[in-house]
Amino acid sequence: MGSFGNGPAGDRTGPHGIGGGGGGGGGGPAAAVDKGVDFANYFCTYAFLYHQKEMLSDRVRMDAYYNAIFQNKNHFLGKTVLDVGTGSGILAIWSAQAGARKVYAVEATKMSEHARALVKANNFEDVIEVIEGSMEDISLPEKVDVIISEWMGYFLLRESMFDSVICARDRWLKPTGVMYPSHARMWMAPIRSGLADQKSNDFEGAMDDWHCFLEDTRISYGVDMSILTKPFSEEQKKWYLQTSLWNNLHPNQVIGTAATVKEIDCLTTTVDDIAEVRSNFSSIIKCNTRLCGFSGWFDVHFRGRMEDPAQKEIELTTAPSVDNGTHWGQQVFLLNPAVAVSEGDEVDVSFAMTRSKENHRLMEVVLDGRLKQSSGNLLQPFRKLFYVE
């Protein structure tokens, strides 16, 4: 899904939806969202075809959705389907190709016009109805058998598009209906990475440059701006040391056992269930190295429902990979400084992720941790705040 990041290196911009589309206004239990501001910051990203092309070029994700649909035609043949955030309309077209009787393709942006053109060019005008509008505002003439959506953002929940999918489910899914995907999991594991040293050096360089700027301004223009050093330092610290990074990690950078921090059943999960995620997990270090931080990723599954299971379960994972992985990559939360660890050491972490008060589509993560050496010694605990922007 979409991205809000800007500034120095670290975040990739652009939408993450397979159709690339926006589903709705999100929101959840927090204060009401200004739809105009939300559209300007979020949905407008999805109206550009070059963003659609980037997402549609993610073969891992495309193959997962394609296989989920065409290896489970029993869920689509003769059925009604709702595609939340259809973007270019490809999931709607695949649903029609798999035999759906009717597909409602909802898209919040002007990408809907391209979706209609694509539907017409592929001769599915009699099956697929493209509806422009937010999921929270539109109405359908009937309940649906299937809700399909590519709603996942960085570290699964960034962007809060799942709110719109939940809204669609509660309003329009039949009691016997299925969700595509049906389940999701969030993972975390300790990692090693040269980014820890790089970001620390970048922060120090920014501060050195600031002090040179202060001196030059004082000498050249007779103004002492040193009173601004503290807020400047806090600003740079947030960007370089507290903002999580997008990265495609190699599996050998994962130095400990991975742990599940959240499991989601898309059929029953509520907005309250995902607005705040808390978990305690432990990881055993697998080698002698440096603990440079933690990585977060997710996977989703297409299982159908207990009463109507998928004929072939499909998994889409964004775990560290030996190839290029997916466009989602992983979110990296760096520790500063890194800590020397040995095989057999244990890291105990309390994880909390909440939505940003300033922007409900962005996240804040707190990691409270303690390292216990295999000898039994306890090292200094750490507490770190990160921004998933």
Side-chain angles (χ1 to χ4, degrees):
M1 308 315 301
S3 179
F4 299 92
N6 55 63
D11 191 16
R12 304 181 81 189
T13 58
H16 292 182
I18 249 198
V33 175
D34 184 317
K35 288 191 175 183
V37 173
D38 196 37
F39 195 97
N41 287 339
Y42 176 64
F43 290 111
C44 63
T45 310
Y46 292 95
F48 296 96
L49 284 170
Y50 81 92
H51 283 314
Q52 299 290 323
K53 177 180 178 293
E54 180 184 357
M55 302 308 104
L56 294 168
S57 298
D58 185 334
R59 294 299 299 268
V60 174
R61 192 179 71 236
M62 291 289 284
D63 289 350
Y65 273 84
Y66 183 89
N67 291 332
I69 293 170
F70 288 101
Q71 294 187 32
N72 293 290
K73 287 187 177 181
N74 60 304
H75 282 153
F76 293 86
L77 187 60
K79 302 296 180 65
T80 53
V81 178
L82 170 58
D83 178 5
V84 180
T86 195
S88 64
I90 193 165
L91 294 184
I93 290 173
W94 284 346
S95 298
Q97 289 176 338
R101 174 183 65 82
K102 183 69 177 181
V103 181
Y104 300 100
V106 178
E107 170 57 38
T109 78
K110 290 300 179 182
M111 185 56 60
S112 61
E113 298 174 3
H114 295 305
R116 288 192 188 97
L118 203 61
V119 166
K120 182 177 181 180
N122 284 270
N123 301 312
F124 282 113
E125 285 180 291
D126 58 336
V127 176
I128 301 172
E129 179 180 346
V130 179
I131 302 170
E132 183 178 321
S134 69
M135 197 64 245
E136 290 77 5
D137 296 334
I138 63 97
S139 292
L140 303 180
E142 60 182 323
K143 299 276 189 176
V144 300
D145 300 291
V146 182
I147 290 179
I148 191 167
S149 181
E150 201 287 75
W151 51 265
M152 300 85 74
Y154 288 141
F155 201 18
L156 189 65
L157 295 180
R158 180 186 179 276
E159 297 180 22
S160 301
M161 184 180 163
F162 192 45
D163 290 16
S164 296
V165 178
I166 292 172
C167 173
R169 180 199 68 196
D170 292 347
R171 294 180 68 196
W172 302 113
L173 187 65
K174 294 178 181 178
T176 56
V178 295
M179 302 287 289
Y180 269 61
S182 60
H183 296 81
R185 295 181 297 187
M186 298 169 62
W187 295 84
M188 287 205 82
I191 62 166
R192 58 187 172 194
S193 172
L195 288 172
D197 295 330
Q198 175 187 322
K199 288 300 176 182
S200 180
N201 290 338
D202 289 343
F203 171 69
E204 292 176 3
M207 293 310 300
D208 288 343
D209 182 68
W210 171 258
H211 290 297
C212 290
F213 161 77
L214 291 182
E215 183 68 7
D216 182 61
T217 304
R218 184 184 64 81
I219 293 174
S220 300
Y221 303 108
V223 177
D224 180 2
M225 300 187 68
S226 60
I227 190 66
L228 301 181
T229 296
K230 183 178 179 181
F232 180 83
S233 176
E234 292 172 348
E235 175 186 288
Q236 298 302 298
K237 180 180 179 182
K238 177 181 177 181
W239 175 251
Y240 287 111
L241 304 181
Q242 293 181 287
T243 299
S244 65
L245 305 177
W246 179 94
N247 204 246
N248 257 327
L249 297 171
H250 189 279
N252 66 16
Q253 290 180 265
V254 178
I255 62 171
T257 51
T260 304
V261 296
K262 181 68 175 179
E263 295 194 54
I264 292 174
D265 182 341
C266 297
L267 203 57
T268 59
T269 293
T270 67
V271 172
D272 286 342
D273 292 334
I274 58 173
E276 183 174 348
V277 177
R278 294 184 179 275
S279 176
N280 297 318
F281 68 91
S282 297
S283 179
I284 304 299
I285 301 299
K286 299 184 292 187
C287 56
N288 300 331
T289 184
R290 292 196 312 156
L291 170 62
C292 298
F294 295 85
S295 176
W297 65 87
F298 68 87
D299 54 40
V300 298
H301 296 256
F302 301 83
R303 298 174 184 158
R305 61 186 296 153
M306 186 179 300
E307 305 88 344
D308 188 13
Q311 293 179 337
K312 173 68 174 179
E313 180 178 331
I314 302 296
E315 178 189 63
L316 190 168
T317 181
T318 65
S321 171
V322 294
D323 55 26
N324 290 327
T326 71
H327 81 282
W328 283 288
Q330 298 83 43
Q331 285 294 293
V332 172
F333 306 88
L334 298 172
L335 296 181
N336 183 264
V339 181
V341 291
S342 302
E343 181 179 1
D345 291 351
E346 182 176 0
V347 185
D348 295 322
V349 179
S350 176
F351 168 88
M353 185 167 80
T354 56
R355 297 180 178 186
S356 168
K357 293 180 176 63
E358 289 74 29
N359 187 332
H360 75 287
R361 297 190 182 277
L362 306 182
M363 303 293 167
E364 295 179 3
V365 170
V366 175
L367 298 178
D368 278 300
R370 180 181 293 273
L371 181 67
K372 181 167 64 178
Q373 295 178 313
S374 55
S375 63
N377 294 330
L378 294 177
L379 298 185
Q380 183 72 22
F382 60 84
R383 177 181 175 83
K384 298 289 184 179
L385 168 65
F386 298 95
Y387 302 91
V388 184
E389 299 189 340

